[in-house]
Amino acid sequence: MNKNLPVSNNNTGSGILPEKLNRKKFFVFTGLAALGIAAASVIPFNLFRSNTPKPAASLKIKENPNAVKRKSKEANSELNNG
Amino acid sequence: MKNFLIDYNLKVRLPILLFVVLAVFAITYYVSYAERVGVGYQPVQPIAYSHKLHAGDLKIDCRYCHSDVEKSRHANIPSPKVCMNCHSIARKDRPEIIKLTDYYTRGIPIEWKRIHRVPDFAYFNHSVHVNKGIDCSNCHGDIAAMEVVEQVKDFSMRACLDCHRNPDQTIKNITPGKDKKLINNGPTNCSACHR
Amino acid sequence: MDKKYIDISENIIEENKELIPAPSASSDGSDEPKDINYWRSFRELYNDPSFRKEKSMEFHPGELDKPDLNTFSKFSRRKFLALLSASAAVAASGCSNYRDKGELIPYNKKPESVTVGNPTYYASTCTGCSSACGILIKTLDGRPVKVDGNPDHPVSKGKICAIGQASVMSLYDPERLKNPVERVNRVSPNNMDWKTADEKIIAELKSAAASGKEISVITHTVNSPSLKKLFDEFAKAYPTAKVYSYELFEDTPRNSAWEKCYGSKNYPLISWDKANIILSLESDFLGNEGNKVETSRLYTSGRDAINGKEFNRLYSVEGNASVTGMNSDYRLILKTDAIEEFVMCLLNELAGKEKISSYSSDAGIMSKLQSFNLKSFAEKYNLSEEVINHLVSDLKKNQGASYVSAGSMLPESTHIAVNMLNEVLGNSALYKKEVSNVKVMPLSTREELENLVSDLNSGKTTVVIHYDSNPVYHLPPDLGYADAVKKAKTIVSLSESDNESSNAGNYVLPVNSMFESWGDYQTRNNFFSLQQPVIAPIYNNRQKEDILMTWISGNPDSYNSDSYHKFVMDNWKANILSSAGTDSDFNRAWYAGLNDGVVMVSKKEAAAQEGENVPAPEVFNPASFVSNTSSMRSKDGFSLLLIKSGALGDGRHANNGWLQELPKPVSRIVWDNYAAISVQSAKALGVDSNDNISITTQSGKMDIPVFVQPGMADGVLAIELGYGRTVCGTVGLDAGFNANVLMTKNPALSRWFYNDVKAEKSSGKYELVSVQDQYPMDEPLYKDIQYRREIIQEGTYLQFKENPDFLHDRHTKYSEEETFKLKVGSINEQYKHTGTKWGMVIDLNKCIGCNECVAACSVENNIPVVGKEQAKKHRSMQWIRIDRYYSGTPETPKASFQPMLCQHCDFAPCENVCPVAATTHSADGINGMAYNRCVGTRYCSNNCPYKVRRFNYFNFRDHFKDGIQLEESFTLMQNPEVTVRSRGVMEKCTFCLQRIMDERQMAIQENRQVKGSNVKTACQEACNTNAISFGDQNDKESDIFKLNNSKLAYHVLEEIKVKPNVTYLAKLRNVYEIEKEEAHH
């Protein structure tokens, strides 16, 4: 290495590399996390849901019972069209 | 010094990155699987209607109640009027039937929980499939054996296309009286379902 | 020394030595040179010792102290974030089950005839205007979603106008009145219940009748026999009641002229399809005059190039630039007040000089015509002599097979002259003898209305009932109704929504729309039309007639929602279907009538019905012509025409967003009205489009923006009425200007035509939005661009007859093989479309540019209303548009109309560039859109050569007028068979894919092949003239196959070889000159 090349003295690896995590701690942590997820997926959170009913539609559509439905869209050939 | 950086990226950052990406993908995939595919959804219905009893033991044809399936895009849920065809007399002392009769006499529609749903931007047409002879159980499973109906088939677009492209393999049951030869490959162009 | 530069710094230092302060020995002992010119504080300037000490310190006391952790919050950032995420997770898990797919709610008791998902049709009658056309209402799940014409109705024959199409929006308008309202002190509205309302009103009615005060019922045209009977009963119950009826647009000049000439009160119906030559004098019969649905169909039956019948020829003489004029073969631009003189000159030419009729021997008539000379008239008004010669010779050749139509706004004297002209030409053969209009109840005369106003003023009338009418807005202001009505003690308005008249009153009662009402109508003598409700009243509204019946009975508890239904049935049993002997016969006939919507009347019964509406005797009274005096000539100033709006009618549909957004066919302006003015007149006044002018007539004055309309006569102003509503829903509130103020009750000529109108430039501008910008027609770049690019291909009828292949002879180079050879490096394989291939043919001969297809498409496909601001940015979402191209000069333009929609190109430039494959081509020729895949790149719209793709820049339903389209009632209006698009997706015409899929469903259900002719797209169904055809191009039997291969078929922008599936049939103008058309190439 050429000593004349400008090299920073600041970014040595010493500050960046985290301290090694204890292997045991890691497995304990991930194991508990997995258990937690499994438990959460089983617990019926629905019990906690408040059953507010949906606001009922204020408009009610009602067919008129006396209206006569037309059988087809086509012209009625029997009708005497003037 | 140079080696260190590459070394660090390769040995530490890259595996962590890959792990995070894979983990997130896997979690999302599996957590959303149920919603995406819908299989296994078995909600509680307002009236404990048993298909096993009616369609299975009593052998009532699907189309007796879901009568418009051959005429329209929707397979209609029967109105209580159809139920009352029998249940105005049959088992009218049972608690569920009393519930049903109450709905009928008071004129309140029954709010069934929907199990099978194709998204709103896709338009599925029942009559086209049923009229070709594709039996209900191909998509809805063996309903006649279900006390409470659950969804058994994947309702994602992939599953629809699998059948459209390969009906011979995928369609197991044909409605009696219909010819299997009627069924050709289904349309696979977008505008067949997406309007 | 090789110096590249010259160093002059030493020179500078030398020169400026005295300016640089020498380091002086300062008294305070500091060794730095002090510059007395720059100091930051007094302390520095005066060499404060503490300042000097501070200068030597890097950190001031206290800066480096460690922070006191006790002053910080106990909650660290880390803790906060952890808590935040945990609570979010808990909240999220407490949310609804993500698997929840909603509910399925069936009927409680499903009627057997209903198939869920399949539409049900009901025949009924439209009451958007007084024409009472028959309609078929399509309902899905009990909700009306679409209105189309009733094929059994003899007048509309399966078609309906834009107002009828868009009327579903009026049904579901969230700004409809929902409850009866009492306006305390006529200011603050309070909801009240029906019983109280009925009680109070009945009390008022009774007291008015008892004290002899008049009860005025004001309504629009009464064309219902049962309603008339009901009014009679009302008058029996309250003897002082009187019914007034009015319309903003009437045919009074025409009818009174007819009465003078022939003695009967009814202008006859015309057999337009039998006319070979039609001369339109300011008569917009293809636009907004008469029954446009019928007239346009009959007119275009004579313009069918493919089926071989000889074309008719339309001459138009007008001052305004109307749709009819723009569709005419020959157009003479003439100031409206000169039209009567023109008619007299024609009469002189034909009867006087050519002596074509027996009237030529009548001395009285001849002496009257003597002073007129057609040639000098043409010279004076700069009319083309050639065209006039053609007109005269055509009329001479086609006696008994032509028709001269005078506009409704022209005064009586002109109509008398035109009646004479038609007589001379023997055109009375075209007056229908057996079928005629019927007036169930005549409209009130001007005297009657004036009496009403004076009675109101004097207090003789104390109760006014606005029976679904808006006289405060509609009646001419100098009649004084608006002020007079305020003097009445009680004003009751029965109306669907708030309007100017209901705003003046005490009680406002919500009434049923036409979808919720029973009724019967008679407009012609040969049939009756029935109206039935398809849906129970949505809000707390009641049918007008039921309300009236409660009042008649005098007992508010007697209200029954079925009472008018029974009343109509009883009336029919007694009078109309009286030939049915037994009850069961009557029931059968009645239900058959409701099924068909129309009950035809035999000739015998027709004669019995008519009473005073006897068919016109053929005897023309020449004395009427001889004694006719004309005061039509204007002295100076402008001639003003007040025109009916094609989209808003008389203004009652102002709150309908779809209609407001429908562009006017010729000017393509949306959302506003304006004063149309010619190019030269605008220059003379010193105004340009969007400038305000102020117009003064004898009764009123108003400011209105101007629009420079090519093709108008100089000195003519044309304004559409129906705008400028002041009390209406939010949609219609800021739209346009109220030109009713210019009307006068006592016009010299007619209520819609005024002479000697003063117009001058006023201050200010108003932005008019036109969806088709006016391009500079004379600029070489734009001139005739539609011809040069062969977007519009035209020819003449004579050219076509001589050489049917004339169109294709022009383009021999575009053969199939050459197409491929020329297309260098085609990235598309030519796909052979076997099987069904959907295609559309649009016959430009029949398209009159009325924009009805646009309205129908908007209803069918859930097109949102975007509003004026967005329309200005060319973001209106209509999938089909009618382009209007001008050619010629701005003073004498020719217009060509062309419906433009997605061409469903086989080599679509849009499909190649979608990065997510949201738009793809199907094997049956449809360019489909999968909205859920679209990410909004807009590359497809960029590539589209026809610019037919519309992008949802906003969720317009949310964006327009504070999200009014998101109101609950509007969600009911939407067609469930079509996706409702949201922001960020591209949409375009889908060839009504939902209807194609319905046909596929039917075909599979019936075990047959798909039949192309069974599918009718919304635009095809709506087009009054049947210009649009749709179907299977591979079906050799179909109409569309024949049309596709006809000699006139061409594709727009054929040279870019995108192979569109929409074919156009070239327009043939029925003119004598062939050379002129060739000049375009």
Side-chain angles (χ1 to χ4, degrees):
Chain A
M1 279 234 258
N2 198 338
K3 288 211 181 101
N4 292 332
L5 283 173
V7 164
S8 157
N9 293 327
N10 288 339
N11 59 348
T12 52
S14 55
I16 296 175
L17 271 176
E19 295 182 12
K20 260 171 127 172
L21 192 67
N22 192 342
R23 187 167 292 177
K24 186 173 163 199
K25 247 191 184 169
F26 171 76
F27 281 114
V28 168
F29 174 70
T30 45
L32 282 175
L35 265 176
I37 292 172
S41 65
V42 177
I43 293 176
F45 279 106
N46 281 336
L47 291 173
F48 300 134
R49 178 167 52 132
S50 63
N51 282 330
T52 46
K54 267 203 303 262
S58 58
L59 292 178
K60 301 229 181 297
I61 300 296
K62 185 169 169 271
E63 236 176 56
N64 191 304
N66 289 320
V68 173
K69 296 179 183 52
R70 196 184 159 99
K71 285 186 216 77
S72 84
K73 246 178 122 173
E74 304 304 321
N76 186 347
S77 50
E78 291 160 8
L79 203 61
N80 179 19
N81 281 329
Chain B
M1 280 305 169
K2 269 199 285 201
N3 286 343
F4 171 75
L5 269 175
I6 296 172
D7 202 23
Y8 176 71
N9 279 328
L10 276 173
K11 280 203 185 142
V12 181
R13 281 190 175 157
L14 186 61
I16 291 180
L17 179 70
L18 281 174
F19 173 73
V20 168
V21 166
L22 283 170
V24 167
F25 181 80
I27 292 174
T28 314
Y29 184 86
Y30 286 109
V31 167
S32 69
Y33 182 79
E35 186 186 357
R36 236 179 323 116
V37 158
V39 172
Y41 182 47
Q42 195 175 29
V44 175
Q45 301 288 354
I47 292 183
Y49 173 75
S50 163
H51 274 92
K52 181 158 183 288
L53 171 63
H54 294 81
D57 301 337
L58 297 175
K59 293 202 177 31
I60 301 177
D61 190 286
C62 311
R63 286 166 289 177
Y64 177 78
C65 297
H66 300 278
S67 46
D68 291 336
V69 71
E70 286 171 323
K71 291 180 255 163
S72 113
R73 200 156 73 74
H74 310 287
N76 61 315
I77 302 283
S79 62
K81 199 157 88 141
V82 176
C83 310
M84 298 311 282
N85 282 344
C86 296
H87 284 292
S88 45
I89 302 170
R91 299 262 198 261
K92 60 178 181 185
D93 52 338
R94 296 286 199 276
E96 293 296 316
I97 308 298
I98 293 174
K99 246 202 264 180
L100 168 70
T101 322
D102 187 46
Y103 272 114
Y104 178 73
T105 45
R106 282 198 298 154
I108 300 172
I110 305 176
E111 296 192 16
W112 302 98
K113 295 296 291 174
R114 186 166 189 165
I115 302 161
H116 302 93
R117 187 178 192 141
V118 174
D120 283 344
F121 44 76
Y123 288 80
F124 177 76
N125 191 324
H126 271 94
S127 77
V128 171
H129 293 81
V130 171
N131 283 322
K132 284 280 188 184
I134 299 172
D135 193 58
C136 315
S137 52
N138 283 306
C139 298
H140 294 287
D142 192 7
I143 297 271
M146 297 181 194
E147 280 286 345
V148 183
V149 178
E150 65 165 331
Q151 181 174 340
V152 296
K153 188 173 149 98
D154 181 2
F155 260 37
S156 63
M157 182 170 152
R158 183 192 337 110
C160 295
L161 281 177
D162 279 343
C163 194
H164 271 222
R165 287 176 175 143
N166 207 352
D168 292 328
Q169 257 72 14
T170 345
I171 296 181
K172 303 274 185 290
N173 307 322
I174 302 292
T175 315
K178 296 271 186 187
D179 190 359
K180 181 156 186 166
K181 286 201 280 284
L182 269 180
I183 303 173
N184 303 321
N185 279 8
T188 47
N189 53 305
C190 305
S191 45
C193 309
H194 292 279
R195 295 181 190 166
Chain C
M1 229 168 334
D2 208 22
K3 277 218 168 116
K4 289 196 197 111
Y5 58 93
I6 300 171
D7 187 17
I8 58 168
S9 54
E10 279 160 29
N11 293 356
I12 297 173
I13 292 173
E14 262 315 302
E15 280 171 22
N16 296 310
K17 252 209 177 99
E18 54 271 12
L19 290 175
I20 302 172
S24 53
S26 40
S27 49
D28 55 337
S30 67
D31 44 328
E32 38 184 83
K34 201 156 58 120
D35 188 345
I36 57 167
N37 291 317
Y38 300 102
W39 39 273
R40 285 164 289 187
S41 63
F42 286 123
R43 287 167 69 214
E44 181 180 6
L45 184 63
Y46 298 127
N47 278 320
D48 192 315
S50 61
F51 177 76
R52 272 189 294 135
K53 191 155 153 261
E54 278 172 23
K55 273 177 77 167
S56 64
M57 283 164 39
E58 187 171 346
F59 295 105
H60 277 138
E63 271 183 28
L64 286 177
D65 289 348
K66 288 227 162 14
D68 184 9
L69 289 170
N70 292 329
T71 60
F72 285 175
S73 146
K74 290 275 184 281
F75 219 41
S76 70
R77 269 200 287 272
R78 194 177 189 183
K79 237 180 174 172
F80 173 75
L81 280 175
L83 200 60
L84 178 71
S85 56
S87 50
V90 172
S93 66
C95 284
S96 63
N97 186 358
Y98 54 77
R99 283 225 202 187
D100 189 10
K101 296 195 175 80
E103 282 83 25
L104 268 179
I105 309 178
Y107 276 94
N108 184 271
K109 297 175 182 65
K110 181 169 87 84
E112 261 191 56
S113 50
V114 168
T115 306
V116 175
N118 286 357
T120 332
Y121 295 97
Y122 295 88
S124 181
T125 306
C126 173
T127 47
C129 72
S130 58
S131 298
C133 300
I135 54 176
L136 279 188
I137 303 176
K138 169 178 162 186
T139 63
L140 273 169
D141 295 342
R143 310 189 308 273
V145 290
K146 185 88 169 37
V147 170
D148 279 302
N150 183 353
D152 287 327
H153 197 268
V155 174
S156 51
K157 289 235 170 93
K159 308 290 180 186
I160 191 80
C161 71
I163 293 178
Q165 288 281 353
S167 53
V168 269
M169 199 182 232
S170 302
L171 165 67
Y172 294 114
D173 192 353
E175 293 171 317
R176 264 178 85 179
L177 291 167
K178 300 188 175 76
N179 277 306
V181 156
E182 179 173 7
R183 307 183 84 251
V184 179
N185 297 328
R186 301 198 176 162
V187 171
S188 36
N190 273 345
N191 279 352
M192 61 178 181
D193 62 304
W194 278 104
K195 187 143 178 280
T196 324
D198 280 338
E199 271 170 12
K200 290 196 176 161
I201 293 171
I202 289 175
E204 295 285 347
L205 290 172
K206 284 196 172 134
S207 84
S211 52
K213 298 286 184 188
E214 186 177 300
I215 301 168
S216 309
V217 179
I218 306 177
T219 172
H220 283 304
T221 312
V222 177
N223 48 7
S224 159
S226 299
L227 179 60
K228 177 154 186 285
K229 193 152 173 257
L230 190 64
F231 278 144
D232 291 339
E233 305 246 329
F234 188 71
K236 272 196 219 124
Y238 300 99
T240 54
K242 191 162 186 303
V243 177
Y244 299 86
S245 62
Y246 79 94
E247 285 289 345
L248 183 61
F249 290 98
E250 304 171 44
D251 249 349
T252 14
R254 194 197 298 272
N255 284 329
S256 63
W258 186 260
E259 197 178 354
K260 285 210 177 118
C261 295
Y262 290 88
S264 92
K265 287 199 203 299
N266 255 340
Y267 195 80
L269 297 167
I270 309 294
S271 306
W272 296 86
D273 47 344
K274 295 208 182 77
N276 294 341
I277 304 289
I278 302 173
L279 171 62
S280 150
L281 302 168
E282 201 75 64
S283 165
D284 193 9
F285 59 87
L286 292 176
N288 45 32
E289 210 174 81
N291 193 322
K292 176 250 173 195
V293 174
E294 185 187 46
T295 316
S296 54
R297 180 184 77 239
L298 293 174
Y299 166 75
T300 49
S301 66
R303 293 200 85 100
D304 198 337
I306 304 304
N307 292 331
K309 198 167 143 215
E310 185 87 14
F311 262 36
N312 57 19
R313 186 172 288 128
L314 174 62
Y315 289 86
S316 166
V317 177
E318 57 176 12
N320 186 18
S322 68
V323 174
T324 311
M326 289 303 167
N327 273 300
S328 58
D329 298 303
Y330 284 111
R331 184 163 180 267
L332 294 169
I333 301 176
L334 184 65
K335 193 168 174 218
T336 317
D337 61 355
I339 286 182
E340 190 169 333
E341 200 183 322
F342 176 68
V343 176
M344 302 298 263
C345 293
L346 262 185
L347 271 170
N348 183 33
E349 190 73 20
L350 290 166
K353 293 216 179 103
E354 310 271 350
K355 296 210 190 302
I356 59 172
S357 121
S358 58
Y359 288 104
S360 311
S361 48
D362 185 321
I365 296 180
M366 286 301 113
S367 64
K368 200 166 163 79
L369 294 175
Q370 240 178 4
S371 50
F372 296 97
N373 184 314
L374 189 58
K375 201 156 171 316
S376 48
F377 180 86
E379 272 168 24
K380 183 165 134 202
Y381 287 99
N382 219 356
L383 301 176
S384 153
E385 203 183 310
E386 220 180 295
V387 175
I388 302 247
N389 288 341
H390 286 313
L391 173 63
V392 171
S393 71
D394 272 339
L395 286 175
K396 206 168 112 177
K397 268 192 287 198
N398 289 288
Q399 293 178 55
S402 61
Y403 180 62
V404 180
S405 170
S408 307
M409 74 210 33
L410 297 174
E412 187 188 290
S413 50
T414 317
H415 282 282
I416 294 179
V418 170
N419 287 340
M420 175 88 237
L421 182 56
N422 274 321
E423 264 301 311
V424 162
L425 291 170
N427 295 337
S428 48
L430 263 64
Y431 299 155
K432 287 200 180 152
K433 304 285 180 301
E434 303 201 320
V435 187
S436 65
N437 282 327
V438 149
K439 279 205 191 51
V440 170
M441 189 166 122
L443 295 171
S444 300
T445 62
R446 181 171 48 88
E447 288 78 25
E448 287 174 336
L449 290 173
E450 280 179 340
N451 286 341
L452 167 65
V453 172
S454 65
D455 283 347
L456 279 168
N457 278 325
S458 64
K460 272 204 260 171
T461 304
T462 54
V463 179
V464 172
I465 301 179
H466 292 138
Y467 196 77
D468 202 13
S469 60
N470 193 357
V472 170
Y473 173 73
H474 286 141
L475 291 177
D478 58 356
L479 194 62
Y481 181 80
D483 294 319
V485 77
K486 293 203 182 96
K487 301 204 175 84
K489 181 163 170 269
T490 314
I491 306 176
V492 182
S493 294
L494 278 71
S495 170
E496 276 178 52
S497 51
D498 257 333
N499 55 32
E500 290 78 355
S501 303
S502 69
N503 220 30
N506 316 52
Y507 301 100
V508 186
L509 306 175
V511 296
N512 289 353
S513 68
M514 71 192 203
F515 294 87
E516 302 155 312
S517 310
W518 286 100
D520 62 344
Y521 297 92
Q522 186 186 25
T523 47
R524 300 214 175 148
N525 64 337
N526 59 333
F527 70 93
F528 287 87
S529 173
L530 280 168
Q531 181 184 51
Q532 55 178 340
V534 300
I535 186 176
I538 294 184
Y539 302 113
N540 188 12
N541 37 322
R542 292 182 173 180
Q543 179 152 4
K544 309 191 273 285
E545 288 82 4
D546 287 334
I547 300 174
L548 216 55
M549 288 179 82
T550 316
W551 295 346
I552 290 174
S553 74
N555 176 11
D557 292 320
S558 71
Y559 169 74
N560 181 349
S561 62
D562 212 28
S563 43
Y564 187 60
H565 176 205
K566 286 211 193 55
F567 186 85
V568 173
M569 277 178 80
D570 290 337
N571 187 21
W572 276 58
K573 207 189 247 185
N575 299 323
I576 299 168
L577 288 176
S578 49
S579 55
T582 59
D583 268 355
S584 67
D585 279 344
F586 167 72
N587 281 338
R588 199 175 306 140
W590 171 252
Y591 289 126
L594 285 181
N595 179 42
D596 298 330
V598 161
V599 171
M600 302 303 291
V601 164
S602 70
K603 292 203 185 53
K604 200 166 48 131
E605 285 173 13
Q609 282 288 333
E610 257 144 43
E612 63 175 26
N613 300 324
V614 269
E618 294 165 50
V619 180
F620 174 72
N621 180 5
S624 63
F625 176 69
V626 177
S627 54
N628 190 19
T629 51
S630 166
S631 52
M632 203 163 149
R633 295 297 292 122
S634 143
K635 295 180 205 56
D636 63 57
F638 283 83
S639 295
L640 174 67
L641 298 169
L642 297 176
I643 308 174
K644 184 152 89 165
S645 166
L648 302 187
D650 61 355
R652 50 184 109 164
H653 303 288
N655 207 36
N656 189 324
W658 277 329
L659 290 175
Q660 289 274 16
E661 207 150 271
L662 214 58
K664 297 176 207 335
V666 182
S667 62
R668 307 276 279 143
I669 288 186
V670 294
W671 285 99
D672 285 308
N673 65 340
Y674 50 88
I677 195 173
S678 75
V679 176
Q680 295 299 337
S681 296
K683 277 204 201 105
L685 279 182
V687 292
D688 199 1
S689 292
N690 298 348
D691 287 335
N692 279 342
I693 57 168
S694 86
I695 300 181
T696 319
T697 61
Q698 67 185 92
S699 59
K701 184 175 171 174
M702 73 176 291
D703 272 9
I704 189 169
V706 129
F707 183 74
V708 177
Q709 173 66 48
M712 275 189 82
D714 295 333
V716 175
L717 287 169
I719 305 179
E720 275 193 11
L721 294 182
Y723 288 84
R725 296 281 303 272
T726 47
V727 181
C728 130
T730 46
V731 174
L733 207 50
D734 293 321
F737 302 86
N738 184 3
N740 292 345
V741 298
L742 301 174
M743 275 199 303
T744 171
K745 66 175 180 186
N746 199 2
L749 297 166
S750 88
R751 262 192 4 231
W752 310 278
F753 173 59
Y754 298 92
N755 273 333
D756 305 323
V757 167
K758 257 205 294 286
E760 54 198 8
K761 182 170 172 161
S762 167
S763 63
K765 276 178 177 294
Y766 182 86
E767 185 148 28
L768 294 167
V769 173
S770 165
V771 294
Q772 183 144 22
D773 287 333
Q774 303 278 65
Y775 48 86
M777 277 164 61
D778 285 340
E779 283 240 316
L781 187 66
Y782 293 110
K783 192 168 168 58
D784 290 345
I785 193 171
Q786 70 267 28
Y787 296 120
R788 286 187 283 127
R789 295 218 57 199
E790 291 179 351
I791 298 170
I792 301 268
Q793 295 192 25
E794 285 181 356
T796 70
Y797 186 62
L798 289 177
Q799 202 175 16
F800 176 63
K801 273 208 300 195
E802 242 178 53
N803 175 17
D805 288 312
F806 81 96
L807 200 71
H808 292 158
D809 285 347
R810 292 180 196 163
H811 311 120
T812 45
K813 55 183 162 68
Y814 294 139
S815 69
E816 190 73 27
E817 305 82 336
E818 311 247 20
T819 306
F820 241 79
K821 274 191 242 162
L822 287 168
K823 202 178 173 101
V824 176
S826 161
I827 61 175
N828 291 307
E829 301 257 323
Q830 194 174 20
Y831 180 83
K832 292 265 178 266
H833 287 270
T834 53
T836 320
K837 184 157 191 280
W838 300 102
M840 186 182 271
V841 173
I842 300 182
D843 189 348
L844 293 179
N845 289 304
K846 294 196 174 163
C847 176
I848 56 177
C850 62
N851 273 295
E852 246 127 76
C853 49
V854 180
C857 174
S858 302
V859 182
E860 172 79 12
N861 294 300
N862 303 331
I863 309 282
V865 176
V866 305
K868 189 175 161 187
E869 285 307 309
Q870 294 298 313
K872 185 165 81 165
K873 297 182 187 163
H874 298 281
R875 289 177 180 173
S876 61
M877 296 305 293
Q878 293 149 349
W879 291 357
I880 184 172
R881 63 176 192 265
I882 311 278
D883 285 332
R884 176 267 303 124
Y885 298 99
Y886 286 129
S887 57
T889 65
E891 286 80 16
T892 53
K894 230 166 44 166
S896 312
F897 295 103
Q898 183 179 56
M900 182 50 68
L901 62 155
C902 173
Q903 306 279 296
H904 293 268
C905 312
D906 282 336
F907 287 159
C910 58
E911 291 164 4
N912 292 331
V913 298
C914 178
V916 292
T919 176
T920 53
H921 213 72
S922 75
D924 44 8
I926 304 248
N927 176 312
M929 217 21 239
Y931 302 116
N932 47 309
R933 274 189 88 94
C934 178
V935 287
T937 316
R938 306 197 298 277
Y939 197 161
C940 53
S941 164
N942 197 29
N943 251 19
C944 176
Y946 306 98
K947 288 291 170 276
V948 285
R949 282 179 162 269
R950 321 301 314 159
F951 185 68
N952 285 284
Y953 284 95
F954 295 99
N955 180 4
F956 289 110
R957 285 181 185 81
D958 191 26
H959 183 87
F960 171 65
K961 298 264 188 214
D962 288 330
I964 191 175
Q965 291 174 95
L966 289 175
E967 296 277 338
E968 188 190 345
S969 56
F970 272 152
T971 58
L972 297 171
M973 175 177 77
Q974 283 156 359
N975 184 358
E977 296 297 308
V978 176
T979 313
V980 173
R981 287 84 51 193
S982 181
R983 193 180 71 187
V985 297
M986 187 65 77
E987 61 185 55
K988 68 186 181 64
C989 164
T990 55
F991 267 178
C992 279
L993 195 53
Q994 64 275 14
R995 296 180 179 212
I996 294 176
M997 289 300 153
D998 279 345
E999 168 58 18
R1000 278 199 91 226
Q1001 176 186 316
M1002 273 295 128
I1004 292 179
Q1005 208 170 300
E1006 296 168 4
N1007 204 8
R1008 58 169 171 87
Q1009 293 295 334
V1010 169
K1011 192 145 178 288
S1013 54
N1014 283 345
V1015 179
K1016 284 198 170 23
T1017 57
C1019 48
Q1020 175 191 15
E1021 208 170 12
C1023 180
N1024 294 148
T1025 56
N1026 290 317
I1028 301 180
S1029 315
F1030 181 77
D1032 181 0
Q1033 291 173 78
N1034 281 343
D1035 178 6
K1036 303 241 182 316
E1037 324 271 301
S1038 64
D1039 283 338
I1040 196 126
F1041 182 78
K1042 295 195 196 81
L1043 289 170
N1044 253 342
N1045 292 321
S1046 83
K1047 313 267 188 215
L1048 291 173
Y1050 76 96
H1051 295 299
V1052 173
L1053 296 179
E1054 203 152 2
E1055 70 267 16
I1056 59 178
K1057 301 167 192 103
V1058 290
K1059 296 187 78 66
N1061 276 314
V1062 176
T1063 316
Y1064 291 84
L1065 298 182
K1067 183 172 181 133
L1068 299 171
R1069 293 192 193 257
N1070 194 4
V1071 293
Y1072 286 104
E1073 298 83 4
I1074 297 185
E1075 303 78 24
K1076 254 199 219 158
E1077 302 304 320
E1078 297 276 30
H1080 286 133
H1081 304 276

